[in-house]
């Protein structure tokens, strides 16, 4: 079962970091599509429902690796 998850990436202001976050998140098992919008400061994911419980922690870990000051919030 497929589902969509949206995360707000507050204070994301580095295009290079956004691209790395998008690439790394897109490689996670169960993630079918990942798109990060720097302007909107958000990430939209198409994922398999089986990872819905763990995806938020994984996204936070990836974001913190590149942008420690960015706040990640599930919408």
């Amino acid at each position: 079962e497929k589902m969509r998850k949206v995360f707000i990436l507050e204070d994301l202001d580095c295009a290079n970091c956004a691209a790395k976050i998008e690439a790394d998140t897109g490689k996670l098992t169960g993630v079918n599509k990942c798109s990060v919008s720097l302007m909107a400061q958000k990430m939209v994911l198409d994922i398999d429902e089986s990872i819905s419980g763990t995806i938020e922690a994984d996204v936070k870990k990836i974001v913190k690796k590149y942008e420690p000051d960015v706040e990640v919030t599930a919408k």
Side-chain angles (χ1 to χ4, degrees), residues 16-36:
N16 193 30
C17 303
K20 289 177 181 168
I21 290 166
E22 183 176 279
D24 279 18
T25 306
K27 289 181 194 144
L28 291 172
T29 303
V31 174
N32 305 307
K33 187 169 176 241
C34 171
S35 99
V36 173

Side-chain angles (χ1 to χ4, degrees), residues 42-55:
K42 75 177 185 179
M43 174 191 289
V44 180
L45 293 174
D46 288 327
I47 64 166
D48 294 332
E49 203 171 335
S50 61
I51 65 160
S52 67
T54 57
I55 189 66

Side-chain angles (χ1 to χ4, degrees), residues 54-66:
T54 57
I55 189 66
E56 187 169 352
D58 291 340
V59 166
K60 285 183 174 174
K61 197 158 67 181
I62 290 169
V63 171
K64 294 290 178 201
K65 183 166 102 176
Y66 295 111

